């Protein structure tokens, strides 16, 4: 059994508002702390690291007037074709889960696992809720936002406080190097899933929440997480977004909590067998600061075995061939192709029944009612049509039922744009919006 702490994200909106549900795990292992950061969707909105901050900003409040800004949310989504699958999850009822106990969680990224013999395999994680999946529909979510803005926090807290537990099955998908070279998709693309019929989930563990924090600021607010905080045997993959996050999440914690944030009890690797006394000084250093031990390595004075680098834990060698560049899509990239939308199409057709399809259409239509620019709505419909024509048609039908029709956004005009434009944006030129007809 490994002790851990979990933090659920979300302070900007009521708990039941439409938003990706973020959660972070910190495992206290003998090899140091291991952090796993997740959302309740199996994919993310972007694979280009440069777009990472914009994903968050597009879903935040308007910086000018601090109002909810659906123009920005839909504008960004309509201009980033790679986000098609994540967008569909977002606007489905999965975007309004019934609290924090009733959804699955995914890091989305691909990781490398390396065994004691140096053999590596590619891995994706899924934490499958033992409580099952429960979502609010649009009207129920709005109602709960007003009646109890803290519903998710209260539901989990009271459940644990009364002696209950919340549990998830820890499952993995694995892929060998040979399989990764043979598949017709990029296995490191964070915006796409691995087909479970080809790479089935295997249960290898269990995550259980059985205790509430004693003090929110001490145990939750000060907790610091980074995808780059790994343990021996776990390494990053070539996923550029993962590599980007490995760096900047830690930088954010240094800015937020200071250079010695690892001394805050919730962040302390108290189970680790090794430590590094050459890391010294800095603001808010409150331990022995290395004491009388030498502050450099190697040295011939005090050299406790637990402070020596473990040379057996180096990362596995990586074979490199070709050139490294940003901008040009690879041979298996879906950029600029209809294939970009195929997984979103499969989700729409196979994972959503008739009721959930209607909810998806209605959810987007309600958002359209609060979007001021017709161009944003037409481009989003363009993306929806690429996923499936019924998706775009369903949105327009729900808009009509709400009495919110826009004379600039019609089925006929959408079809003209579908005929003239393969996409809504020129990604190669730097995500330049294509002119609508």
């Amino acid at each position: 059994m490994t002790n851990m702490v979990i933090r659920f994200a979300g302070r900007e909106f009521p708990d039941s508002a439409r938003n990706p549900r973020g959660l972070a795990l910190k495992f206290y292992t003998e090899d140091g702390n291991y952090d796993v950061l997740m959302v309740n969707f199996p994919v993310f909105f972007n694979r280009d690291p440069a777009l990472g901050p914009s994903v968050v900003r597009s879903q935040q409040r308007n910086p000018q007037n601090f109002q909810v800004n659906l123009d920005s949310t839909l504008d960004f989504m309509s201009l980033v074709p790679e986000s098609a699958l994540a967008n569909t999850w977002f606007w489905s009822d999965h975007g309004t889960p019934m609290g924090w106990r009733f959804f699955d969680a995914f890091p989305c990224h691909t990781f490398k696992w390396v065994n004691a013999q140096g053999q590596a395999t590619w891995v994706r994680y899924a934490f499958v809720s033992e409580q099952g999946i429960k979502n609010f529909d649009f009207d129920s979510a709005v109602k709960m936002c007003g009646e109890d803005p803290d519903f998710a926090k209260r539901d989990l807290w009271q459940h644990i406080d009364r002696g209950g537990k919340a549990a998830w099955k820890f499952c993995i998908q694995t892929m060998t190097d040979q399989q990764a070279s043979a598949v017709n998709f990029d296995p490191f693309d964070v915006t796409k899933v691995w087909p479970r019929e080809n790479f089935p989930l295997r249960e290898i563990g269990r995550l259980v929440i059985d205790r509430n924090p004693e003090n929110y600021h001490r145990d939750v607010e000060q907790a610091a997480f980074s995808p780059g905080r790994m343990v021996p045997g776990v390494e990053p993959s070539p996923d550029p977004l993962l590599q980007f996050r490995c760096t900047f999440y830690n930088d954010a914690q240094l800015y937020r909590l200071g250079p010695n944030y690892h001394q805050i009890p919730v962040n302390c690797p108290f189970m680790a067998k090794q430590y590094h006394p050459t890391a010294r000084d800095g603001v808010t250093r409150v331990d022995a600061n290395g004491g009388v031990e030498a502050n450099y390595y190697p040295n011939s004075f005090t050299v406790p075995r637990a402070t020596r680098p473990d040379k057996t834990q180096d990362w596995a060698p990586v074979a490199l061939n070709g050139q490294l560049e940003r901008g040009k899509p690879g041979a298996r990239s879906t950029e600029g192709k209809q294939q970009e939308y195929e997984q979103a199409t499969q989700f729409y057709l196979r994972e959503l029944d008739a009721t959930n399809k209607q909810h998806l259409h209605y959810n987007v239509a309600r958002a359209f009612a609060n979007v001021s620019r017709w161009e944003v709505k037409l481009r989003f419909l363009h993306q929806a049509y690429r996923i499936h024509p019924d998706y775009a048609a369903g949105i327009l039908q729900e808009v009509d039922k709400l009495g919110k029709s826009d004379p600039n956004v019609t089925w006929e005009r959408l079809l003209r744009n579908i005929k003239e434009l393969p996409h809504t944006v020129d990604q190669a030129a730097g995500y330049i919006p294509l002119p609508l007809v």
Side-chain angles (χ1 to χ4, degrees):
M1 183 178 72
T2 302
N3 289 321
M4 49 81 65
V5 65
I6 181 170
R7 180 170 72 189
F8 292 88
R11 297 185 61 178
E12 190 166 343
F13 300 101
D15 287 351
S16 302
R18 186 170 306 280
N19 204 23
R21 279 6 181 225
L23 60 158
L25 313 178
K26 185 181 295 292
F27 296 93
Y28 301 105
T29 83
E30 292 183 349
D31 294 311
N33 292 349
Y34 177 38
D35 293 353
V36 179
L37 286 74
M38 304 186 286
V39 292
N40 65 316
F41 306 158
V43 291
F44 202 58
F45 297 88
N46 66 292
R47 56 176 170 258
D48 184 344
L51 298 182
S54 292
V55 171
V56 177
R57 291 171 186 151
S58 71
Q59 297 175 21
Q60 288 179 334
R61 293 175 177 271
N62 188 311
Q64 181 181 15
N65 54 34
F66 205 61
Q67 296 175 16
V68 173
N69 194 0
L70 290 173
D71 277 84
S72 293
T73 302
L74 286 164
D75 187 39
F76 180 86
M77 290 179 173
S78 72
L79 296 173
V80 184
E82 67 205 58
S83 68
L85 180 55
N87 295 344
T88 313
W89 272 78
F90 179 92
W91 291 110
S92 75
D93 287 347
H94 289 288
T96 51
M98 193 176 292
W100 289 338
R101 294 188 287 138
F102 299 102
F103 60 72
D104 298 341
F106 311 87
C108 302
H109 296 294
T110 301
F111 300 95
K112 181 195 287 185
W113 278 10
V114 184
N115 64 18
Q117 290 73 44
Q119 299 166 325
T121 189
W122 305 111
V123 181
R124 282 200 175 185
Y125 306 167
F127 289 79
V128 180
S129 173
E130 295 184 6
Q131 294 76 230
I133 305 297
K134 294 182 181 180
N135 298 316
F136 288 121
D137 61 22
F138 183 94
D139 295 326
S140 298
V142 171
K143 185 173 183 287
M144 185 57 73
C145 286
E147 290 183 350
D148 186 358
D150 295 328
F151 170 76
K153 291 185 281 287
R154 194 182 318 280
D155 171 73
L156 180 60
W157 178 279
Q158 290 180 347
H159 179 74
I160 301 298
D161 198 48
R162 292 166 181 162
K165 298 178 180 180
W168 286 258
K169 296 176 182 176
F170 178 27
C171 302
I172 61 170
Q173 295 173 283
T174 60
M175 183 185 295
T176 65
D177 263 335
Q178 291 74 19
Q179 289 173 316
S181 299
V183 293
N184 63 353
F185 62 92
D186 182 356
F188 311 115
D189 185 347
V190 72
T191 70
K192 304 295 182 289
V193 298
W194 290 3
R196 291 188 180 180
E197 58 268 26
N198 300 326
F199 303 95
L201 287 178
R202 290 188 289 154
E203 183 179 351
I204 63 168
R206 193 164 178 256
L207 168 67
V208 180
I209 303 176
D210 59 6
R211 184 157 55 98
N212 283 321
E214 295 178 351
N215 182 276
Y216 182 84
H217 180 78
R218 184 193 70 190
D219 301 333
V220 180
E221 182 65 22
Q222 291 192 121
F225 300 90
S226 169
R229 188 165 293 111
M230 301 177 179
V231 292
V234 182
E235 301 176 9
S237 72
D239 175 355
L241 183 63
L242 173 60
Q243 296 176 3
F244 178 63
R245 296 177 73 207
C246 284
T247 301
F248 86 80
Y249 271 67
N250 188 59
D251 283 352
Q253 309 307 336
L254 292 171
Y255 174 81
R256 184 170 72 94
L257 298 169
N260 289 305
Y261 70 82
H262 64 282
Q263 292 191 311
I264 299 171
V266 70
N267 299 319
C268 179
F270 62 90
M271 292 296 295
K273 296 179 293 185
Q274 290 185 282
Y275 67 102
H276 301 280
T278 55
R280 301 277 182 107
D281 307 335
V283 178
T284 64
R285 187 81 194 199
V286 295
D287 65 352
N289 197 32
V292 299
E293 294 179 2
N295 62 351
Y296 59 93
Y297 178 89
N299 71 79
S300 60
F301 298 99
T302 55
V303 193
R305 179 170 295 277
T307 71
R308 299 174 185 171
D310 187 349
K311 294 296 185 179
T312 67
Q313 303 294 352
D314 286 345
W315 281 1
V318 178
L320 297 177
N321 184 29
Q323 60 189 33
L324 179 65
E325 63 178 311
R326 178 180 178 272
K328 291 183 180 179
R332 292 186 294 181
S333 173
T334 53
E335 184 175 313
K337 305 173 185 176
Q338 178 61 30
Q339 188 183 355
E340 192 78 272
Y341 306 100
E342 287 181 356
Q343 289 196 359
T345 302
Q346 296 306 313
F347 174 72
Y348 180 81
L349 293 175
R350 297 181 180 180
E351 302 297 327
L352 301 178
D353 59 21
T355 298
N356 281 294
K357 283 188 178 72
Q358 189 273 327
H359 287 183
L360 170 65
H361 305 157
Y362 179 75
N363 295 341
V364 177
R366 289 298 298 260
F368 270 25
N370 292 288
V371 172
S372 61
R373 296 175 56 210
W374 66 265
E375 299 97 328
V376 170
K377 291 183 278 190
L378 190 58
R379 285 196 178 97
F380 188 89
L381 285 170
H382 191 292
Q383 299 278 35
Y385 189 97
R386 293 296 180 190
I387 293 170
H388 199 279
D390 289 352
Y391 183 12
I395 294 171
L396 285 174
Q397 289 169 8
E398 294 297 332
V399 169
D400 288 342
K401 291 178 184 178
L402 292 170
K404 299 291 185 179
S405 298
D406 186 330
N408 292 304
V409 184
T410 64
W411 182 252
E412 292 72 23
R413 188 169 193 174
L414 173 62
L415 292 181
R416 289 202 305 271
N417 279 274
I418 292 294
K419 183 179 179 179
E420 296 291 332
L421 303 175
H423 296 286
T424 60
V425 64
D426 185 346
Q427 290 174 271
Y431 291 88
I432 302 298
L434 295 174
L436 297 168
V437 297

